[in-house]
Amino acid sequence: MIKSYLTIIIIACASLNNFFIAKNYLSVSQTTNEQKNWTVMLYYCADTRTHGVGPYPNNSGAYNWLNSIMFDCISFLPGLITGGSLDDINIIVLYDEPYSASYPNGHAKILKIGYSNPPLELEDWGAENLGLYVTLSNFINYCKNHFPANHYALSLTDHGRAYSGYCYDYHGQHPYWNYTLGDCLTVRELRTALTYAGRVNVLFLDTCLGASFEVAWELTDFVDYLVAGESTQRKTALVHGVDVVRRLSQNTAMSPFELAQIGVTTAQSVILNPPSIPNDQFYDWPTVSLIAPYRFNLTPVAASFKDLFSGFTDELIVELDNNFTRARELFGQIRGELSGNGFTSSSMLIDLYEFLEAIEAHSANFTNPQVVTKAGSVKNYLEVSPTSLLHDFYIRPDLTSNLANLHGFSICFPDSRDLYQGYLWPNMYEDIAIAQDTQWDDFIFRLFPPEADPFLWPIPEFWEVNLYPIDPLVSCHVFLEHEELIRHVGLATGDFGLSEVELGIEGAGYLADLVGGRAMIRIPHNSLSLMKTNNEIAQKFTIVINGSHAGTVNHPVNLSVRHVVDNSIVWEQSQVKSLESGQDLACEVSTTEEMSELKPVGEPSTTTPPTTTPITTTSPTNSTNLDPLISDFFGPSFIVFSTTGIFSLLIIIILYNKKKK
């Protein structure tokens, strides 16, 4: 009797245990098969390059502040979700952790957000390149297959570079550079990923420089609404997706347009304040655009907007054909009048609307009146309107004056040949749809023919500093002391936290051919002469090569300085030195055509990276593996121009001068 009783108990316990296993499995299965109103996909590329990665070659530790913010977002999100809302929405995250001892090339996981921590780990993808379209496509397909919904929203969270790409995976293989720069999702790859994975209703580019005319053009057939900032952004752009999800959980019945509007509202008034960004003075986005890419194919007048813009570019070519020399001077003048506020100078962006306004302002100077007529037609359709491409555009109130040049869309219009053709990778612009559908890229190339001066404004006499071959994270600077002020030419940290070109000497120019590994600074001789004091025979300037964030431990650099008069080199001197990671080199050049020896300033950084703690997750009982797509295209890396700031470079000059004395 006792034996039978025990047998029954054992059988019952075994059956009960099987029930719990089956119940857990079924709960996951039911969740993944039940169609809800929304599935929100957060694409967190936390294994990314940051400005301060130099001391930590593996891109780990506290220097990776982007990872810290994304980690906080995952941790905070469960506490922000309205109770009961997960019956109508799915929140799925692809989170790529940076370096750890166990995963030296990063560690990607798919997480499902619930009402409490830790999140449920659905998939362990190991070392994945989030800068590859295959990864993005697989993630979207995974979400659509396992978490079907009436509507889909996607947030790409990381760095952004307008038409140059998004989500820069530090451990992805860069196709041209041998340095550890990583890979990114190019604009073409965004389209390719969505070609395989299908349409998303709302795309949030929670990055810098997302409101790109080229990007909106590319995604015409794949995205209903695009929410992005035209300018560089603050760190709080990284928490935008979490804020959107919080608002969606309060009203899960939102339509795609309503959610896109919420994306604008939350960008205008950021309420989240993660501890990882306590020093961000202004939390709201500088700018945000609500774009309807599908309207590119609609008919504003007698043709689609794409046809309208294409016709405008045709007229630009006609203007160049009428009188190239005169037209090049005119477009050079117009380009010089356009403001770069809100952009990084190295990004070669202008505001499209401001360019069209400038054409109208110079209407009397064009030989082809159709340029002006069609510029006006294009401009009218870029106005904020429920029936135009741009549903809404916002500038933060305290920046209204500073960013008055921005109207919602950026577009590529470089001011030099080298900077355009050598930026990131060869022929990058020809890969995107706007270059194939219009003559905009032909217009740009025609402005910078090989035989022309690389600058739109030639200088009769100048001093030219060339640095090559270089890791793109090595920066070149010129400093000139005049009347107790330090004037600087080179890259410097701008108002929005990213690096911008500073031209502190009148008439100076800066170029960077990144694929060729060359940086150039050009200083007019007349500007140097004007800065001499009465008792000075010659003017001197200091050249600093900043290797604070170099991706290689030991790197040879070739510094060449020229004195050029009427396109003839009258003096030139070169030096080759070895630059160690974390090191700065400096020398002095005189207008008497003398250059001192290039010498190290300070010691290379040897900081040991701290250990990092991976996010804790729970695991489901079932797991599936996706078949990877075959990739025949690799995108470029995000080139972050990084400096230690003007203040630290001034210290370098002071130390250098003290050593000389």
Side-chain angles (χ1 to χ4, degrees), residues 378-407:
V378 172
K379 182 171 73 74
N380 290 338
Y381 202 58
L382 295 179
E383 300 277 0
V384 175
S385 166
T387 59
S388 76
L389 299 173
L390 198 62
H391 275 278
D392 199 1
F393 178 64
Y394 164 84
I395 299 178
R396 203 174 70 205
D398 63 302
L399 295 174
T400 302
S401 176
N402 187 44
L403 300 182
N405 58 300
L406 303 185
H407 298 81

Side-chain angles (χ1 to χ4, degrees), residues 43 132-141 154 156 185 190 193:
Y43 196 78
L132 191 62
Y133 82 82
V134 174
T135 308
L136 177 59
S137 180
N138 281 348
F139 175 57
I140 297 172
N141 275 322
L154 172 66
L156 300 184
L185 286 169
L190 286 178

Side-chain angles (χ1 to χ4, degrees), residues 510-570:
Y510 179 93
L511 294 176
D513 179 2
L514 299 186
V515 171
R518 173 191 177 206
M520 178 204 292
I521 293 175
R522 187 176 287 185
I523 304 171
H525 181 80
N526 186 52
S527 296
L528 296 176
S529 299
L530 291 174
M531 292 183 184
K532 287 194 302 181
T533 59
N534 294 332
N535 59 350
E536 284 182 324
I537 299 175
Q539 180 61 277
K540 297 179 181 180
F541 56 89
T542 301
I543 300 172
V544 175
I545 302 172
N546 184 348
S548 300
H549 307 307
T552 51
V553 176
N554 196 301
H555 181 59
V557 293
N558 187 323
L559 175 67
S560 174
V561 181
R562 297 173 176 175
H563 183 195
V564 180
V565 180
D566 294 330
N567 293 322
S568 297
I569 301 173
V570 298

Side-chain angles (χ1 to χ4, degrees), residues 52-71:
V53 76
Y56 304 137
N58 291 313
N59 197 33
S60 61
Y63 266 66
N64 193 333
W65 52 265
L66 292 104
N67 174 58
S68 299
I69 295 174
M70 293 182 215
F71 182 94

Side-chain angles (χ1 to χ4, degrees), residues 141-154:
N141 275 322
Y142 176 89
C143 292
K144 287 187 173 183
N145 290 334
H146 291 78
F147 303 96
N150 299 325
H151 310 296
Y152 296 95
L154 172 66

Side-chain angles (χ1 to χ4, degrees), residues 478-493:
V478 166
F479 292 91
L480 177 65
E481 186 173 358
H482 176 61
E483 295 180 349
E484 299 183 353
L485 295 176
I486 300 294
R487 300 178 182 272
H488 169 248
V489 177
L491 293 163
T493 302

